Short mmCIF file of all heavy atoms in Angstrom, two decimals:
data_model
loop_
_atom_site.label_atom_id
_atom_site.label_comp_id
_atom_site.label_asym_id
_atom_site.label_seq_id
_atom_site.Cartn_x
_atom_site.Cartn_y
_atom_site.Cartn_z
N GLU A 5 -24.96 14.43 43.23
CA GLU A 5 -23.88 14.94 42.39
C GLU A 5 -23.50 16.37 42.74
O GLU A 5 -22.50 16.90 42.25
CB GLU A 5 -24.30 14.88 40.91
CG GLU A 5 -24.34 13.46 40.38
CD GLU A 5 -25.17 13.36 39.12
OE1 GLU A 5 -25.36 14.39 38.45
OE2 GLU A 5 -25.64 12.24 38.82
N LYS A 6 -24.31 16.98 43.54
CA LYS A 6 -24.04 18.38 43.88
C LYS A 6 -22.89 18.49 44.87
O LYS A 6 -22.59 17.55 45.61
CB LYS A 6 -25.29 19.01 44.50
CG LYS A 6 -26.37 19.31 43.48
CD LYS A 6 -27.47 20.07 44.17
CE LYS A 6 -28.68 20.27 43.27
NZ LYS A 6 -28.43 21.11 42.12
N SER A 7 -22.29 19.65 44.88
CA SER A 7 -21.19 19.87 45.83
C SER A 7 -21.76 20.19 47.20
O SER A 7 -22.95 20.48 47.34
CB SER A 7 -20.32 21.03 45.36
OG SER A 7 -21.03 22.23 45.52
N VAL A 8 -20.91 20.10 48.19
CA VAL A 8 -21.34 20.37 49.56
C VAL A 8 -21.92 21.78 49.67
O VAL A 8 -22.93 22.01 50.34
CB VAL A 8 -20.14 20.20 50.53
CG1 VAL A 8 -20.49 20.74 51.90
CG2 VAL A 8 -19.74 18.75 50.62
N GLU A 9 -21.29 22.72 48.97
CA GLU A 9 -21.77 24.11 49.04
C GLU A 9 -23.18 24.21 48.49
O GLU A 9 -24.02 24.91 49.04
CB GLU A 9 -20.84 25.05 48.26
CG GLU A 9 -19.54 25.37 48.97
CD GLU A 9 -18.47 24.31 48.70
OE1 GLU A 9 -18.73 23.39 47.88
OE2 GLU A 9 -17.40 24.39 49.32
N GLU A 10 -23.40 23.51 47.38
CA GLU A 10 -24.72 23.58 46.75
C GLU A 10 -25.79 22.99 47.66
O GLU A 10 -26.88 23.54 47.81
CB GLU A 10 -24.70 22.85 45.40
CG GLU A 10 -24.06 23.65 44.29
CD GLU A 10 -23.89 22.83 43.03
OE1 GLU A 10 -23.35 21.71 43.11
OE2 GLU A 10 -24.31 23.31 41.98
N ILE A 11 -25.44 21.86 48.27
CA ILE A 11 -26.38 21.22 49.19
C ILE A 11 -26.69 22.16 50.34
O ILE A 11 -27.84 22.36 50.74
CB ILE A 11 -25.77 19.91 49.74
CG1 ILE A 11 -25.57 18.90 48.62
CG2 ILE A 11 -26.65 19.33 50.84
CD1 ILE A 11 -26.79 18.10 48.24
N SER A 12 -25.64 22.74 50.86
CA SER A 12 -25.80 23.63 52.00
C SER A 12 -26.68 24.83 51.64
O SER A 12 -27.54 25.25 52.41
CB SER A 12 -24.42 24.08 52.47
OG SER A 12 -24.51 25.28 53.17
N LYS A 13 -26.47 25.33 50.43
CA LYS A 13 -27.27 26.48 49.98
C LYS A 13 -28.74 26.09 49.84
O LYS A 13 -29.63 26.84 50.24
CB LYS A 13 -26.72 26.96 48.63
CG LYS A 13 -26.57 28.48 48.55
CD LYS A 13 -25.83 28.85 47.31
CE LYS A 13 -26.62 29.82 46.47
NZ LYS A 13 -26.01 30.02 45.16
N LEU A 14 -28.94 24.92 49.25
CA LEU A 14 -30.31 24.45 49.07
C LEU A 14 -31.01 24.27 50.42
O LEU A 14 -32.17 24.64 50.59
CB LEU A 14 -30.31 23.12 48.31
CG LEU A 14 -30.25 23.24 46.79
CD1 LEU A 14 -29.96 21.89 46.17
CD2 LEU A 14 -31.57 23.79 46.25
N LEU A 15 -30.28 23.70 51.37
CA LEU A 15 -30.86 23.49 52.70
C LEU A 15 -31.26 24.83 53.30
O LEU A 15 -32.32 24.97 53.90
CB LEU A 15 -29.85 22.78 53.61
CG LEU A 15 -29.68 21.28 53.38
CD1 LEU A 15 -28.44 20.78 54.08
CD2 LEU A 15 -30.90 20.53 53.86
N ASP A 16 -30.41 25.82 53.11
CA ASP A 16 -30.72 27.15 53.61
C ASP A 16 -31.97 27.69 52.94
O ASP A 16 -32.85 28.27 53.58
CB ASP A 16 -29.55 28.11 53.35
CG ASP A 16 -28.40 27.86 54.31
OD1 ASP A 16 -28.66 27.26 55.37
OD2 ASP A 16 -27.27 28.25 53.99
N GLU A 17 -32.04 27.48 51.63
CA GLU A 17 -33.17 28.00 50.88
C GLU A 17 -34.48 27.40 51.35
O GLU A 17 -35.51 28.08 51.39
CB GLU A 17 -32.99 27.69 49.39
CG GLU A 17 -32.35 28.83 48.62
CD GLU A 17 -32.06 28.43 47.19
OE1 GLU A 17 -32.92 27.78 46.58
OE2 GLU A 17 -30.95 28.74 46.70
N TYR A 18 -34.43 26.13 51.70
CA TYR A 18 -35.65 25.47 52.15
C TYR A 18 -35.85 25.60 53.66
O TYR A 18 -36.73 24.99 54.24
CB TYR A 18 -35.65 24.00 51.74
CG TYR A 18 -35.99 23.83 50.29
CD1 TYR A 18 -35.00 23.85 49.31
CD2 TYR A 18 -37.31 23.70 49.88
CE1 TYR A 18 -35.31 23.73 47.97
CE2 TYR A 18 -37.63 23.57 48.55
CZ TYR A 18 -36.63 23.59 47.60
OH TYR A 18 -36.96 23.47 46.27
N GLY A 19 -35.01 26.38 54.27
CA GLY A 19 -35.19 26.65 55.70
C GLY A 19 -34.90 25.46 56.58
O GLY A 19 -35.45 25.35 57.67
N ILE A 20 -34.06 24.55 56.11
CA ILE A 20 -33.72 23.38 56.93
C ILE A 20 -32.45 23.69 57.70
O ILE A 20 -31.41 23.95 57.10
CB ILE A 20 -33.52 22.14 56.05
CG1 ILE A 20 -34.80 21.83 55.29
CG2 ILE A 20 -33.10 20.95 56.91
CD1 ILE A 20 -34.61 20.86 54.14
N LYS A 21 -32.58 23.64 59.00
CA LYS A 21 -31.38 23.88 59.81
C LYS A 21 -30.45 22.70 59.65
O LYS A 21 -30.89 21.56 59.66
CB LYS A 21 -31.78 24.02 61.28
CG LYS A 21 -32.39 25.36 61.59
CD LYS A 21 -32.59 25.49 63.09
CE LYS A 21 -33.81 26.34 63.38
NZ LYS A 21 -34.51 25.86 64.56
N HIS A 22 -29.19 22.97 59.52
CA HIS A 22 -28.28 21.86 59.31
C HIS A 22 -26.90 22.15 59.89
O HIS A 22 -26.50 23.30 60.03
CB HIS A 22 -28.16 21.53 57.83
CG HIS A 22 -27.59 22.65 57.02
ND1 HIS A 22 -26.25 22.77 56.80
CD2 HIS A 22 -28.18 23.70 56.42
CE1 HIS A 22 -26.04 23.85 56.07
NE2 HIS A 22 -27.19 24.45 55.83
N GLY A 23 -26.22 21.08 60.17
CA GLY A 23 -24.85 21.19 60.63
C GLY A 23 -23.93 20.96 59.45
O GLY A 23 -24.35 21.12 58.30
N PRO A 24 -22.71 20.55 59.72
CA PRO A 24 -21.78 20.29 58.62
C PRO A 24 -22.26 19.14 57.74
O PRO A 24 -22.84 18.18 58.23
CB PRO A 24 -20.48 19.92 59.33
CG PRO A 24 -20.88 19.54 60.71
CD PRO A 24 -22.09 20.33 61.04
N ILE A 25 -22.04 19.28 56.46
CA ILE A 25 -22.42 18.21 55.53
C ILE A 25 -21.18 17.39 55.26
O ILE A 25 -20.28 17.81 54.52
CB ILE A 25 -23.01 18.80 54.24
CG1 ILE A 25 -24.29 19.54 54.57
CG2 ILE A 25 -23.28 17.70 53.22
CD1 ILE A 25 -24.61 20.65 53.64
N VAL A 26 -21.12 16.25 55.91
CA VAL A 26 -19.97 15.36 55.75
C VAL A 26 -20.50 13.99 55.33
O VAL A 26 -21.70 13.80 55.18
CB VAL A 26 -19.17 15.26 57.06
CG1 VAL A 26 -18.58 16.60 57.43
CG2 VAL A 26 -20.03 14.74 58.19
N ASP A 27 -19.57 13.06 55.15
CA ASP A 27 -19.97 11.75 54.65
C ASP A 27 -21.12 11.15 55.45
O ASP A 27 -22.04 10.59 54.88
CB ASP A 27 -18.76 10.79 54.71
CG ASP A 27 -17.83 11.02 53.54
OD1 ASP A 27 -18.20 11.82 52.66
OD2 ASP A 27 -16.75 10.42 53.51
N SER A 28 -21.04 11.26 56.77
CA SER A 28 -22.03 10.57 57.58
C SER A 28 -23.36 11.31 57.67
O SER A 28 -24.35 10.75 58.11
CB SER A 28 -21.47 10.33 58.98
OG SER A 28 -21.30 11.55 59.66
N THR A 29 -23.38 12.56 57.28
CA THR A 29 -24.64 13.30 57.39
C THR A 29 -25.25 13.62 56.03
O THR A 29 -26.41 13.97 55.93
CB THR A 29 -24.44 14.62 58.14
OG1 THR A 29 -23.48 15.41 57.46
CG2 THR A 29 -23.99 14.39 59.55
N ARG A 30 -24.45 13.52 55.00
CA ARG A 30 -24.89 13.99 53.68
C ARG A 30 -26.15 13.28 53.18
O ARG A 30 -27.09 13.92 52.73
CB ARG A 30 -23.76 13.78 52.68
CG ARG A 30 -24.19 14.27 51.32
CD ARG A 30 -23.05 14.32 50.35
NE ARG A 30 -23.60 14.73 49.08
CZ ARG A 30 -23.04 15.60 48.28
NH1 ARG A 30 -21.90 16.14 48.59
NH2 ARG A 30 -23.62 15.93 47.15
N LYS A 31 -26.15 11.95 53.30
CA LYS A 31 -27.29 11.20 52.77
C LYS A 31 -28.58 11.64 53.47
O LYS A 31 -29.63 11.78 52.84
CB LYS A 31 -27.07 9.70 53.00
CG LYS A 31 -27.07 8.92 51.69
CD LYS A 31 -26.77 7.47 51.90
CE LYS A 31 -28.03 6.65 52.15
NZ LYS A 31 -27.71 5.24 52.51
#
Side-chain angles (χ1 to χ4, degrees):
Chain A
E5 288 161 22
K6 285 187 187 295
S7 71
V8 169
E9 284 85 6
E10 282 173 309
I11 295 277
S12 157
K13 225 171 124 189
L14 276 168
L15 283 166
D16 285 339
E17 265 174 42
Y18 282 89
I20 300 165
K21 283 187 212 145
H22 62 90
I25 296 152
V26 296
D27 281 353
S28 67
T29 59
R30 180 170 177 138
K31 240 177 89 186

